[in-house]
Amino acid sequence: MFLKTLLGLSLAVFLSACDGEKTQEIEWQLPLSVPTDPHASAKAKQLPDWAMNNQGNATVVVLNKATTRIFEVNVQNGSEKKTNDWSIQLQGLAQGLRIKDNTLINDTSISNPAAFVALYYRDTLMYEGWLYQDFPELFGMDNSHWKVWIKDVTMPPSSQEDDNSNKRLP
């Protein structure tokens, strides 16, 4: 009799505890979502002066995912080009962009060309931030309709590099 009573109470507690409780989803069971791009920026004012002052250009490539049509636009640093309902502003360039202690560094000893762009589609800001030539699949604008990346970042060598390249070892 005691065992039946204990079993009955246990069953009643178990059933009442489960009533009305929300099930918690485990993180790995949640649907995948695109993480926030750490290189995107809401404010161009965060752009370092050296990036705005670097001479050069970059070719921006735009892919329409629905039609698989691609077009390329070559833009000079500090200028804007409009084509195919897009307005592409190239606001800064880096030869070797690194981030150290939340500070952007133009490290010319590494090859990591990057361009800071503002991309407008039909006057709507779609993306503003850094795009990397060597890592187009990792960073940049990628939504259900468009994929944008850069290629062919061209920058003249700095005068310091020219001075170093002319020096010969004895």
Side-chain angles (χ1 to χ4, degrees), residues 4-23:
K4 284 184 181 179
T5 307
L6 183 60
L7 184 60
L9 282 173
S10 297
L11 185 59
V13 169
F14 176 74
L15 291 176
S16 67
C18 293
D19 249 358
E21 256 189 51
K22 283 187 173 180
T23 58

Side-chain angles (χ1 to χ4, degrees), residues 28-128:
W28 58 267
Q29 292 177 324
L30 297 174
L32 293 176
S33 62
V34 178
T36 305
D37 185 352
H39 298 86
S41 170
K43 297 180 181 178
K45 300 298 180 198
Q46 298 171 352
L47 188 62
D49 288 337
W50 57 260
M52 292 185 285
N53 296 329
N54 278 338
Q55 298 288 324
N57 59 9
T59 301
V60 178
V61 182
V62 180
L63 165 68
N64 181 332
K65 292 181 177 181
T67 64
T68 66
R69 295 190 73 193
I70 292 178
F71 67 90
E72 298 180 4
V73 180
N74 192 289
V75 186
Q76 288 288 117
N77 194 14
S79 67
E80 174 181 14
K81 288 224 177 149
K82 295 182 179 189
T83 183
N84 298 337
D85 293 330
W86 283 89
S87 173
I88 300 168
Q89 299 172 0
L90 181 55
Q91 299 176 355
L93 287 173
Q95 289 178 330
L97 186 65
R98 285 192 308 126
I99 300 175
K100 182 177 180 182
D101 299 328
N102 290 325
T103 303
L104 294 171
I105 300 169
N106 188 27
D107 187 349
T108 57
S109 66
I110 62 171
S111 176
N112 191 14
F116 191 92
V117 298
L119 306 171
Y120 293 86
Y121 181 69
R122 296 182 179 158
D123 298 325
T124 300
L125 180 64
M126 301 295 285
Y127 180 82
E128 184 176 39

